[in-house]
Amino acid sequence: MASSNFICSHQLYSSCNVKTHFSSFKKASFSIPSSYKLQNPSSFERGFRFSRTHLVRATASDSKTGRKQVEVVYDLDEKFNKLADEVDMNSGMSRLTLFSPCKINVFLRITGKREDGYHDLASLFHVISLGDKIKFSLSPSKSTDRLSTNVPGVPLDDKNLIIKALNLFRRKTGTDNYFWIHLDKKVPTGAGLGGGSSNAATALWAANQFSGCVATEKELQEWSSEIGSDIPFFFSHGAAYCTGRGEIVEDILKPLPLDVPLVLIKPQEACSTAEVYKRLTLDRTSKVDPLTLLEKVSRNGISQDVCINDLEPPAFEVLPSLKRLKQRLAAAGRGQYDAVFMSGSGSTIVGVGSPDPPQFVYDDDEYKDVFLSEASFITRAENQWYTEISMDASSLPMEFSQSVE
């Protein structure tokens, strides 16, 4: 379970309906300075704070004689500051912002097809520093979550894994918290980076924090497999050997070095996971024992010979330009990259060993709309969620895809 220090490290916010404070002045006239404007709550230092004094004058008059009966001066600063003090002293968590990182598959072996139609896999998953931010706020509603996002095309209903995760948590725990959620999307969709799965895991973690950690991390991990095969991985410490459909997760005691730079290149076109698996034939997969690959990575680090992805051949059939991108990246980056490979079912190509893409990515019109970002491996501490790595201006992700802003 998460520690109280983790919970209490987040600011508390409370909504405030100003009109309720004037309910006794129904016949009053109010004079509000024209310059007065509520600031965005996110700019408040603590709950509600104002940098200058704003007064509201309320005057009640006798409608027959027109004589003034009483005049009240209402100090918004003082009232809101008192409310903030009450929130600090009496309220529980009401708002939480979490980092939702994505992952790459250092190697991905498909070892068989199951009777339920899924495939068995064996893969080394690792969390990386590219990720979304998700803001959760408690909603007064007891029936509906509300999701917004900064990019078009992302479902906002129960087709979204965030909403599915919150519904799952309520069903498993009997809690009745509903949320306003804003998803600040940085991870491209259809990329093989597990962005949606990470969002779902982050939502489960957040719901558990708001509920006082009624569930253990192990329970969250087990429950999450009901809505997605990749979601349980994110409840590891950031590096894990995953088998089954991906839901059997074994933490790697010695993660990959966190200072190894990566570059991610994703064309605008996405790879349909269903279409990639439809074209997969087991006789074209590698015959290397995945445990041998894991041992090599653990002993020697990442090299091209261990970065095997059995989904590359069918993905390259679905999107031939992806094969050409990988070949060009490998050829141009000889001596620059330790390995070049596709993550998941595509369409992201990963270069390991340098954060810089080759020059052709900038020069060729074919790649003018690609998503491009540098990254590194990250992990998380026990009983804490993943945190975003601060990056200086020279190493901020560069994004050229029109679908991700």
Side-chain angles (χ1 to χ4, degrees), residues 176-216:
D176 61 355
N177 286 333
Y178 286 81
F179 301 92
W180 291 332
I181 313 106
H182 180 73
L183 171 61
D184 185 7
K185 197 74 180 157
K186 297 296 183 184
V187 179
T189 57
L193 299 174
S197 296
S198 174
N199 293 166
T202 305
L204 284 172
W205 178 275
N208 199 39
Q209 300 299 306
F210 279 101
S211 302
C213 299
V214 296
T216 65

CSV table of all heavy atoms in Angstrom, one decimal, residues 176-216:
chain,number,residue,atom,x,y,z
A,176,ASP,N,-17.4,4.4,-4.0
A,176,ASP,CA,-18.4,5.1,-4.9
A,176,ASP,C,-17.8,6.5,-5.3
A,176,ASP,O,-18.5,7.4,-5.6
A,176,ASP,CB,-19.7,5.4,-4.2
A,176,ASP,CG,-19.6,6.2,-2.9
A,176,ASP,OD1,-18.5,6.5,-2.5
A,176,ASP,OD2,-20.6,6.5,-2.3
A,177,ASN,N,-16.5,6.6,-5.4
A,177,ASN,CA,-15.9,7.8,-5.9
A,177,ASN,C,-15.9,7.9,-7.4
A,177,ASN,O,-15.6,6.9,-8.1
A,177,ASN,CB,-14.4,7.9,-5.4
A,177,ASN,CG,-14.2,8.3,-4.0
A,177,ASN,OD1,-15.1,8.9,-3.4
A,177,ASN,ND2,-13.1,7.9,-3.4
A,178,TYR,N,-16.4,9.0,-7.9
A,178,TYR,CA,-16.3,9.3,-9.3
A,178,TYR,C,-15.5,10.5,-9.5
A,178,TYR,O,-15.2,11.3,-8.6
A,178,TYR,CB,-17.8,9.5,-9.9
A,178,TYR,CG,-18.5,8.2,-10.0
A,178,TYR,CD1,-19.2,7.7,-8.9
A,178,TYR,CD2,-18.6,7.6,-11.2
A,178,TYR,CE1,-19.9,6.5,-9.0
A,178,TYR,CE2,-19.3,6.4,-11.3
A,178,TYR,CZ,-20.0,5.8,-10.2
A,178,TYR,OH,-20.6,4.7,-10.3
A,179,PHE,N,-15.0,10.7,-10.8
A,179,PHE,CA,-13.9,11.6,-11.0
A,179,PHE,C,-14.1,12.5,-12.3
A,179,PHE,O,-14.7,12.0,-13.2
A,179,PHE,CB,-12.6,10.9,-11.2
A,179,PHE,CG,-12.2,10.0,-10.0
A,179,PHE,CD1,-12.6,8.7,-9.9
A,179,PHE,CD2,-11.5,10.6,-8.9
A,179,PHE,CE1,-12.2,7.9,-8.8
A,179,PHE,CE2,-11.2,9.9,-7.8
A,179,PHE,CZ,-11.5,8.5,-7.7
A,180,TRP,N,-13.5,13.7,-12.2
A,180,TRP,CA,-13.2,14.4,-13.4
A,180,TRP,C,-11.8,14.1,-13.7
A,180,TRP,O,-10.9,14.3,-12.9
A,180,TRP,CB,-13.4,15.9,-13.2
A,180,TRP,CG,-14.8,16.3,-13.0
A,180,TRP,CD1,-15.9,15.7,-13.5
A,180,TRP,CD2,-15.3,17.4,-12.2
A,180,TRP,NE1,-17.1,16.4,-13.1
A,180,TRP,CE2,-16.7,17.4,-12.3
A,180,TRP,CE3,-14.7,18.4,-11.4
A,180,TRP,CZ2,-17.5,18.4,-11.7
A,180,TRP,CZ3,-15.5,19.4,-10.8
A,180,TRP,CH2,-16.9,19.4,-10.9
A,181,ILE,N,-11.5,13.7,-15.0
A,181,ILE,CA,-10.1,13.3,-15.4
A,181,ILE,C,-9.7,14.1,-16.6
A,181,ILE,O,-10.5,14.2,-17.6
A,181,ILE,CB,-10.1,11.8,-15.7
A,181,ILE,CG1,-10.7,11.0,-14.6
A,181,ILE,CG2,-8.6,11.4,-15.9
A,181,ILE,CD1,-12.1,10.4,-15.1
A,182,HIS,N,-8.5,14.7,-16.6
A,182,HIS,CA,-8.0,15.3,-17.8
A,182,HIS,C,-6.7,14.6,-18.2
A,182,HIS,O,-5.8,14.4,-17.4
A,182,HIS,CB,-7.7,16.8,-17.6
A,182,HIS,CG,-7.1,17.4,-18.9
A,182,HIS,ND1,-7.9,17.6,-20.0
A,182,HIS,CD2,-5.9,17.7,-19.2
A,182,HIS,CE1,-7.2,18.1,-21.0
A,182,HIS,NE2,-5.9,18.2,-20.5
A,183,LEU,N,-6.7,14.0,-19.4
A,183,LEU,CA,-5.6,13.3,-19.9
A,183,LEU,C,-4.8,14.2,-20.8
A,183,LEU,O,-5.2,14.6,-21.9
A,183,LEU,CB,-6.0,12.1,-20.7
A,183,LEU,CG,-5.0,11.3,-21.5
A,183,LEU,CD1,-3.9,10.7,-20.6
A,183,LEU,CD2,-5.7,10.2,-22.3
A,184,ASP,N,-3.5,14.6,-20.4
A,184,ASP,CA,-2.6,15.4,-21.2
A,184,ASP,C,-1.7,14.4,-22.0
A,184,ASP,O,-0.8,13.8,-21.4
A,184,ASP,CB,-1.8,16.3,-20.3
A,184,ASP,CG,-0.9,17.2,-21.1
A,184,ASP,OD1,-1.0,17.3,-22.3
A,184,ASP,OD2,-0.1,17.9,-20.5
A,185,LYS,N,-2.1,14.1,-23.2
A,185,LYS,CA,-1.6,13.0,-24.0
A,185,LYS,C,-0.3,13.4,-24.7
A,185,LYS,O,-0.2,14.4,-25.4
A,185,LYS,CB,-2.6,12.5,-25.0
A,185,LYS,CG,-2.3,11.2,-25.6
A,185,LYS,CD,-2.6,10.1,-24.6
A,185,LYS,CE,-2.4,8.7,-25.2
A,185,LYS,NZ,-2.1,7.7,-24.1
A,186,LYS,N,0.8,12.7,-24.4
A,186,LYS,CA,2.1,12.8,-25.1
A,186,LYS,C,2.5,11.6,-25.8
A,186,LYS,O,3.2,11.6,-26.8
A,186,LYS,CB,3.2,13.2,-24.1
A,186,LYS,CG,2.9,14.5,-23.3
A,186,LYS,CD,3.0,15.7,-24.3
A,186,LYS,CE,2.8,17.0,-23.5
A,186,LYS,NZ,2.8,18.2,-24.5
A,187,VAL,N,2.0,10.4,-25.3
A,187,VAL,CA,2.4,9.1,-26.0
A,187,VAL,C,1.5,8.9,-27.2
A,187,VAL,O,0.2,8.9,-27.0
A,187,VAL,CB,2.2,8.0,-25.0
A,187,VAL,CG1,2.6,6.7,-25.7
A,187,VAL,CG2,3.1,8.2,-23.8
A,188,PRO,N,2.0,8.7,-28.4
A,188,PRO,CA,1.1,8.5,-29.5
A,188,PRO,C,0.4,7.2,-29.4
A,188,PRO,O,0.9,6.2,-28.8
A,188,PRO,CB,2.1,8.5,-30.7
A,188,PRO,CG,3.4,8.1,-30.1
A,188,PRO,CD,3.4,8.7,-28.7
A,189,THR,N,-0.8,7.1,-30.0
A,189,THR,CA,-1.6,5.9,-30.0
A,189,THR,C,-1.2,5.0,-31.2
A,189,THR,O,-0.6,5.5,-32.2
A,189,THR,CB,-3.1,6.2,-30.1
A,189,THR,OG1,-3.3,7.0,-31.3
A,189,THR,CG2,-3.5,7.1,-28.9
A,190,GLY,N,-1.5,3.7,-31.1
A,190,GLY,CA,-1.1,2.8,-32.2
A,190,GLY,C,0.4,2.7,-32.4
A,190,GLY,O,0.9,2.6,-33.5
A,191,ALA,N,1.1,2.8,-31.3
A,191,ALA,CA,2.6,3.0,-31.4
A,191,ALA,C,3.3,1.7,-30.8
A,191,ALA,O,4.6,1.6,-31.0
A,191,ALA,CB,3.1,4.2,-30.6
A,192,GLY,N,2.6,0.8,-30.1
A,192,GLY,CA,3.3,-0.3,-29.5
A,192,GLY,C,4.0,0.1,-28.2
A,192,GLY,O,4.9,-0.6,-27.8
A,193,LEU,N,3.6,1.2,-27.6
A,193,LEU,CA,4.3,1.7,-26.4
A,193,LEU,C,3.4,1.5,-25.2
A,193,LEU,O,3.8,1.9,-24.1
A,193,LEU,CB,4.6,3.2,-26.6
A,193,LEU,CG,5.6,3.5,-27.7
A,193,LEU,CD1,5.7,5.0,-27.9
A,193,LEU,CD2,6.9,2.9,-27.5
A,194,GLY,N,2.2,1.0,-25.3
A,194,GLY,CA,1.4,0.7,-24.1
A,194,GLY,C,0.9,1.9,-23.4
A,194,GLY,O,0.6,1.9,-22.2
A,195,GLY,N,0.6,3.0,-24.2
A,195,GLY,CA,0.2,4.2,-23.5
A,195,GLY,C,-1.2,4.1,-22.9
A,195,GLY,O,-1.4,4.5,-21.7
A,196,GLY,N,-2.1,3.4,-23.6
A,196,GLY,CA,-3.4,3.2,-23.0
A,196,GLY,C,-3.4,2.3,-21.8
A,196,GLY,O,-4.1,2.5,-20.8
A,197,SER,N,-2.6,1.3,-21.8
A,197,SER,CA,-2.4,0.3,-20.7
A,197,SER,C,-1.9,1.1,-19.5
A,197,SER,O,-2.3,0.9,-18.3
A,197,SER,CB,-1.5,-0.8,-21.0
A,197,SER,OG,-2.1,-1.6,-22.1
A,198,SER,N,-0.9,1.9,-19.7
A,198,SER,CA,-0.3,2.7,-18.6
A,198,SER,C,-1.3,3.7,-18.0
A,198,SER,O,-1.4,3.8,-16.8
A,198,SER,CB,0.9,3.5,-19.1
A,198,SER,OG,1.4,4.4,-18.1
A,199,ASN,N,-2.2,4.3,-18.9
A,199,ASN,CA,-3.2,5.2,-18.4
A,199,ASN,C,-4.2,4.4,-17.5
A,199,ASN,O,-4.6,4.9,-16.4
A,199,ASN,CB,-4.0,5.7,-19.5
A,199,ASN,CG,-3.3,6.7,-20.4
A,199,ASN,OD1,-3.7,7.1,-21.5
A,199,ASN,ND2,-2.1,7.2,-19.9
A,200,ALA,N,-4.5,3.2,-17.8
A,200,ALA,CA,-5.4,2.4,-17.0
A,200,ALA,C,-4.8,2.0,-15.7
A,200,ALA,O,-5.4,2.1,-14.6
A,200,ALA,CB,-5.8,1.1,-17.7
A,201,ALA,N,-3.5,1.6,-15.7
A,201,ALA,CA,-2.8,1.3,-14.4
A,201,ALA,C,-2.7,2.5,-13.5
A,201,ALA,O,-2.9,2.5,-12.3
A,201,ALA,CB,-1.4,0.8,-14.7
A,202,THR,N,-2.5,3.7,-14.1
A,202,THR,CA,-2.4,4.9,-13.4
A,202,THR,C,-3.7,5.3,-12.8
A,202,THR,O,-3.8,5.8,-11.6
A,202,THR,CB,-1.9,6.1,-14.3
A,202,THR,OG1,-0.6,5.7,-14.9
A,202,THR,CG2,-1.7,7.4,-13.5
A,203,ALA,N,-4.8,5.1,-13.5
A,203,ALA,CA,-6.1,5.3,-13.0
A,203,ALA,C,-6.5,4.4,-11.8
A,203,ALA,O,-7.1,4.9,-10.8
A,203,ALA,CB,-7.2,5.2,-14.1
A,204,LEU,N,-6.1,3.2,-11.9
A,204,LEU,CA,-6.3,2.3,-10.7
A,204,LEU,C,-5.5,2.7,-9.5
A,204,LEU,O,-6.0,2.7,-8.4
A,204,LEU,CB,-5.9,0.8,-11.1
A,204,LEU,CG,-6.8,0.1,-12.0
A,204,LEU,CD1,-6.2,-1.2,-12.5
A,204,LEU,CD2,-8.1,-0.2,-11.3
A,205,TRP,N,-4.3,3.1,-9.7
A,205,TRP,CA,-3.4,3.6,-8.6
A,205,TRP,C,-4.1,4.9,-8.0
A,205,TRP,O,-4.2,5.0,-6.8
A,205,TRP,CB,-2.0,4.0,-9.1
A,205,TRP,CG,-1.1,4.5,-8.1
A,205,TRP,CD1,-1.0,5.8,-7.7
A,205,TRP,CD2,-0.2,3.8,-7.2
A,205,TRP,NE1,-0.1,6.0,-6.7
A,205,TRP,CE2,0.4,4.8,-6.4
A,205,TRP,CE3,0.1,2.5,-7.1
A,205,TRP,CZ2,1.4,4.4,-5.4
A,205,TRP,CZ3,1.1,2.1,-6.2
A,205,TRP,CH2,1.7,3.1,-5.4
A,206,ALA,N,-4.5,5.8,-8.8
A,206,ALA,CA,-5.2,7.0,-8.3
A,206,ALA,C,-6.4,6.7,-7.5
A,206,ALA,O,-6.6,7.3,-6.4
A,206,ALA,CB,-5.5,8.0,-9.5
A,207,ALA,N,-7.3,5.9,-8.1
A,207,ALA,CA,-8.5,5.5,-7.4
A,207,ALA,C,-8.2,5.0,-6.0
A,207,ALA,O,-9.0,5.2,-5.0
A,207,ALA,CB,-9.4,4.6,-8.2
A,208,ASN,N,-7.2,4.2,-5.9
A,208,ASN,CA,-6.8,3.5,-4.7
A,208,ASN,C,-6.3,4.6,-3.7
A,208,ASN,O,-6.6,4.5,-2.5
A,208,ASN,CB,-5.8,2.5,-4.9
A,208,ASN,CG,-5.6,1.5,-3.7
A,208,ASN,OD1,-6.6,1.1,-3.2
A,208,ASN,ND2,-4.4,1.1,-3.4
A,209,GLN,N,-5.6,5.6,-4.2
A,209,GLN,CA,-5.1,6.7,-3.3
A,209,GLN,C,-6.3,7.5,-2.7
A,209,GLN,O,-6.4,7.7,-1.5
A,209,GLN,CB,-4.2,7.6,-4.0
A,209,GLN,CG,-2.9,7.0,-4.6
A,209,GLN,CD,-2.1,6.4,-3.5
A,209,GLN,OE1,-1.7,7.1,-2.6
A,209,GLN,NE2,-1.7,5.1,-3.7
A,210,PHE,N,-7.3,7.8,-3.6
A,210,PHE,CA,-8.4,8.5,-3.1
A,210,PHE,C,-9.3,7.8,-2.1
A,210,PHE,O,-10.0,8.3,-1.3
A,210,PHE,CB,-9.3,8.9,-4.3
A,210,PHE,CG,-8.9,10.1,-5.1
A,210,PHE,CD1,-8.2,10.0,-6.3
A,210,PHE,CD2,-9.1,11.4,-4.6
A,210,PHE,CE1,-7.7,11.1,-7.0
A,210,PHE,CE2,-8.7,12.5,-5.3
A,210,PHE,CZ,-8.0,12.4,-6.5
A,211,SER,N,-9.2,6.4,-2.2
A,211,SER,CA,-10.0,5.6,-1.3
A,211,SER,C,-9.2,5.1,0.0
A,211,SER,O,-9.7,4.3,0.7
A,211,SER,CB,-10.5,4.4,-2.1
A,211,SER,OG,-11.2,4.7,-3.2
A,212,GLY,N,-8.1,5.7,0.2
A,212,GLY,CA,-7.3,5.4,1.4
A,212,GLY,C,-6.5,4.1,1.3
A,212,GLY,O,-6.3,3.4,2.3
A,213,CYS,N,-6.2,3.7,0.0
A,213,CYS,CA,-5.4,2.5,-0.2
A,213,CYS,C,-6.1,1.2,0.3
A,213,CYS,O,-5.5,0.5,1.1
A,213,CYS,CB,-4.0,2.6,0.3
A,213,CYS,SG,-3.1,4.0,-0.4
A,214,VAL,N,-7.4,1.0,-0.1
A,214,VAL,CA,-8.1,-0.1,0.4
A,214,VAL,C,-7.6,-1.4,-0.3
A,214,VAL,O,-7.9,-2.5,0.2
A,214,VAL,CB,-9.6,0.1,0.1
A,214,VAL,CG1,-10.2,1.2,0.9
A,214,VAL,CG2,-9.9,0.3,-1.4
A,215,ALA,N,-6.9,-1.3,-1.4
A,215,ALA,CA,-6.4,-2.5,-2.1
A,215,ALA,C,-4.9,-2.5,-2.1
A,215,ALA,O,-4.2,-1.4,-2.0
A,215,ALA,CB,-6.9,-2.5,-3.6
A,216,THR,N,-4.3,-3.6,-2.1
A,216,THR,CA,-2.8,-3.8,-2.2
A,216,THR,C,-2.4,-3.6,-3.6
A,216,THR,O,-3.2,-3.7,-4.6
A,216,THR,CB,-2.4,-5.1,-1.7
A,216,THR,OG1,-2.9,-6.2,-2.6
A,216,THR,CG2,-2.8,-5.4,-0.3
